[in-house]
């Protein structure tokens, strides 16, 4: 019995919790969520649901035995199916009890459709795919203990949570008896190219940005290699980072307030890295604060990134850029540690459907091709279907898209017939407003 399944060892406790919950709801008790002592899960507490889930839904909060905060939503007209959600990020702050309400609100259409939903904050902030995957599977076990095993359990991962969910499906997809834990897996705009491939472009961004701007670190700062993000203990804030980016590039300023030099710098950075202008600050945030956690806390200060042979192009002077940009070589131990934590094997065991916006500005669509190759190498392509839309958003796509792929995943599980993504647009149009349907015809990656 792994730690991820530990709540299952206390079925009596959770049956008593269910009875106590009914009493608490009847009395209108408990406006404050109880907090678990280490190793001791607590009874759930009713909380207000986001309005977006609609009427007739019970929402609960509790902290699990590892310290992660869980939010559960269960409709009165429950369809007997459960969505286990893995959120994106990684979020850098300490987990708080209401963190998953944002995720529930974003994917509330699933609850309005009749699904129960459980989301975990994860036990700690910062990077760590395996740790988060264990927390996600524990949230599933908690729900099962509270309400019994649903007719069907589906695993959903969004963004970085796509990496987390895909890892959870590989690690916990089959129980000790050889039975599927998750009947199906849905991954939306997921980081499916794994930790060793997903973040190199941000290391390149840091290198190019520093060559062009020279202010991260600034000459007056203690010097640090850009692959670190920040040194351990550094106190730079997001506001300070933004100020430096604006000082260098004039991003966000009007044409008359931005100098010609700022315009050239911005153009060079964007042209070389391929990042959209309105995403530059966000990507530099991740390449600063997430990198700091990843490198300093998770990898013991070791460097997982390598640009020693990269040839950069697209700037106003590529020869000068390639001659002057900071070069760094990956530490093999760091790469191995990151691969163990976050790379995927492709050993999927349940029907798995991915949905990705073709113009996703945060997790590039190219991640889907990497995942398809990984799954193919594992001989599991028959369990993978990938769909694309022409949307340009990352955190939230059209509700109709989620419902269309959920229905396709359900039919796949029911019939054993692998869905044809070329039909998804037609299926969407049959049930939803045309302006909300954005599926593209499948093409080779």
């Amino acid at each position: 019995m792994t730690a991820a399944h530990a709540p299952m060892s206390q079925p009596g406790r959770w049956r008593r919790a269910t009875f106590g919950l009914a009493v608490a709801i009847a009395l209108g008790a408990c406006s404050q969520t109880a907090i678990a002592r280490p190793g001791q899960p607590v009874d759930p507490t009713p909380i207000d649901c986001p309005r977006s889930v609609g009427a007739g839904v019970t929402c609960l909060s509790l902290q699990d035995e590892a310290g992660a905060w869980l939010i559960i939503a269960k409709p009165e007209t429950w369809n007997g199916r459960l969505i286990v959600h893995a959120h994106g990020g990684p979020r850098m702050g300490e987990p708080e009890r209401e963190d998953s309400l944002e995720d529930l609100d974003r994917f509330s259409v699933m609850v309005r459709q009749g699904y129960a939903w459980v989301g975990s904050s994860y036990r700690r902030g910062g990077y760590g795919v395996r740790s988060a995957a264990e927390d996600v599977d524990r949230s599933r076990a908690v729900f099962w203990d509270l309400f019994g095993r649903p007719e069907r359990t589906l695993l959903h991962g969004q963004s970085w949570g796509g990496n987390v969910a895909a890892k959870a499906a590989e690690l916990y997809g089959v129980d000790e008896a050889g039975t599927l834990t998750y009947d199906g897996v849905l991954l939306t705009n997921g980081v499916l190219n794994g930790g060793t491939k997903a973040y190199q472009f941000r290391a390149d961004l840091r290198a190019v940005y520093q060559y062009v701007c020279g202010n991260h670190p600034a000459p007056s700062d203690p010097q640090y290699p850009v692959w670190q993000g920040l040194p351990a203990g550094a106190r730079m804030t997001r506001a300070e980072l933004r100020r430096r980016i604006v000082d260098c590039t004039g991003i966000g300023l009007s044409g008359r307030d931005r100098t010609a030099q700022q315009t050239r710098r911005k153009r060079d950075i964007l042209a070389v890295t391929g990042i959209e202008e309105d995403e530059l600050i966000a990507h530099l945030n991740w390449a600063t604060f997430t990198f700091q956690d990843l490198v300093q806390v998770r990898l013991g200060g070791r460097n997982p990134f390598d640009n020693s042979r990269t040839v950069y192009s697209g700037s106003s002077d590529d020869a000068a850029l390639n001659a002057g940009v900071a070069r760094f070589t990956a530490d093999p131990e760091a790469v191995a540690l990151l691969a163990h934590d976050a790379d995927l094997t492709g050993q999927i065991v349940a029907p798995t459907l991915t949905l990705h916006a073709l113009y996703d500005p945060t997790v590039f669509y190219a991640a889907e091709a990497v995942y398809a190759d990984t799954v193919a190498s594992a001989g599991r392509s028959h369990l993978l279907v990938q769909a694309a839309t022409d949307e340009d958003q990352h955190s939230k796509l059209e509700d109709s898209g989620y419902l269309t792929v959920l229905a396709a995943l359900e039919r796949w599980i029911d019939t054993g017939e692998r869905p044809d993504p070329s039909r998804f647009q037609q299926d969407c149009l049959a049930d939803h407003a045309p302006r909300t349907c954005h599926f593209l015809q499948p093409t080779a990656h």
Side-chain angles (χ1 to χ4, degrees):
M1 184 74 67
T2 66
H5 300 284
M8 296 292 284
S9 65
Q10 304 183 40
R13 174 181 177 85
W14 290 117
R15 291 193 188 100
R16 292 193 298 275
T18 305
F19 173 77
L21 172 62
V23 174
I25 292 174
L27 296 177
C30 299
S31 60
Q32 183 73 22
T33 302
I35 300 177
R37 295 185 300 277
Q40 295 292 322
V42 300
D43 296 346
T45 299
I47 60 171
D48 290 335
C49 296
R51 291 183 180 179
S52 56
V53 302
V57 177
T58 297
C59 289
L60 310 171
S61 173
L62 72 151
Q63 191 178 36
D64 73 14
E65 60 186 20
W69 289 99
L70 309 186
I71 298 291
I72 293 171
K74 184 171 175 288
E76 290 178 1
T77 55
W78 182 29
N79 63 9
R81 280 84 190 278
L82 170 66
I83 302 285
V84 180
H85 178 73
H87 74 71
R91 294 167 181 165
M92 304 310 296
E94 286 302 307
E96 298 183 2
R97 68 174 185 167
E98 295 185 348
D99 282 350
S100 293
L101 285 175
E102 174 188 351
D103 308 301
L104 174 56
D105 178 59
R106 185 177 298 136
F107 297 103
S108 58
V109 67
M110 298 176 179
V111 179
R112 295 197 302 273
Q113 195 71 7
Y115 291 90
W117 188 95
V118 61
S120 171
S121 69
Y122 311 151
R123 75 190 76 172
R124 57 174 169 76
Y127 201 83
V129 172
R130 281 180 175 259
S131 171
E134 184 180 16
D135 294 337
V136 167
D137 192 59
R138 188 183 302 105
S139 74
R140 176 220 32 99
V142 168
F143 186 96
W144 283 17
D145 282 344
L146 280 170
F147 300 106
R149 182 166 184 162
E151 296 175 11
R152 182 165 291 167
T153 300
L154 304 177
L155 178 59
H156 172 223
Q158 159 66 20
S159 187
W160 182 65
N163 193 177
V164 172
K167 178 67 78 172
E170 292 182 355
L171 295 176
Y172 309 110
V174 178
D175 66 18
E176 294 171 354
T179 304
L180 286 180
T181 305
Y182 299 99
D183 300 287
V185 180
L186 174 63
L187 307 171
T188 56
N189 282 354
V191 181
L192 300 179
N193 43 352
T196 60
K197 297 182 178 70
Y199 305 106
Q200 177 63 46
F201 82 94
R202 290 187 181 135
D204 290 326
L205 168 63
R206 283 296 307 273
V208 172
Y209 177 87
Q210 183 63 10
Y211 171 79
V212 172
C213 296
N215 65 3
H216 185 15
S220 59
D221 292 330
Q223 297 301 289
Y224 48 88
V226 295
W227 53 261
Q228 280 189 354
L230 284 170
R235 300 297 184 186
M236 180 186 285
T237 64
R238 281 169 168 73
E240 170 61 17
L241 176 58
R242 182 186 184 91
R243 184 192 66 77
R244 295 187 186 199
I245 298 168
V246 173
D247 281 351
C248 174
T249 67
I251 198 165
L253 302 179
S254 66
R256 69 173 181 273
D257 294 328
R258 187 173 58 245
T259 68
Q261 189 176 37
Q262 287 174 323
T263 298
R264 179 187 58 76
R265 292 169 180 161
K266 180 184 69 171
R267 184 180 61 244
D268 279 357
I269 294 168
L270 299 180
V272 173
T273 63
I275 291 171
E276 298 292 334
E277 179 174 345
D278 57 1
E279 294 292 323
L280 178 60
I281 292 176
H283 282 294
L284 281 168
N285 269 304
W286 286 309
T288 300
F289 304 106
T290 302
F291 276 20
Q292 181 186 34
D293 179 84
L294 172 64
V295 169
Q296 305 293 356
V297 179
R298 315 304 168 192
L299 298 179
R302 301 177 184 90
N303 172 28
F305 306 115
D306 196 315
N307 76 339
S308 58
R309 298 183 179 181
T310 302
V311 177
Y312 297 106
S313 62
S315 73
S316 52
D317 189 340
D318 288 344
L321 169 61
N322 283 286
V325 71
R327 299 289 181 178
F328 38 86
T329 302
D331 180 329
E333 188 173 355
V335 175
L337 288 169
L338 183 55
H340 174 73
D341 183 68
D343 280 3
L344 299 169
T345 67
Q347 295 285 343
I348 57 179
V349 295
T352 300
L353 202 158
T354 73
L355 175 67
H356 210 124
L358 184 62
Y359 306 108
D360 183 341
T362 301
V363 179
F364 302 146
Y365 181 71
E368 294 290 335
V370 176
Y371 190 56
D373 288 344
T374 301
V375 172
S377 295
R380 303 297 176 92
S381 295
H382 62 288
L383 289 173
L384 178 66
V385 168
Q386 296 175 290
T389 69
D390 65 2
E391 292 165 280
D392 60 2
Q393 300 299 304
H394 172 69
S395 296
K396 176 72 168 68
L397 303 179
E398 290 281 359
D399 284 347
S400 58
Y402 298 134
L403 294 181
T404 298
V405 293
L406 264 177
L409 183 59
E410 293 268 25
R411 286 193 301 271
W412 189 2
I413 298 167
D414 286 337
T415 66
E417 184 176 343
R418 190 167 174 265
D420 178 359
S422 69
R423 293 184 53 85
F424 286 176
Q425 179 69 1
Q426 178 181 336
D427 292 343
C428 184
L429 291 171
D431 296 318
H432 305 284
R435 62 180 177 79
T436 68
C437 294
H438 299 276
F439 288 96
L440 296 170
Q441 289 299 302
T443 58
H445 288 294

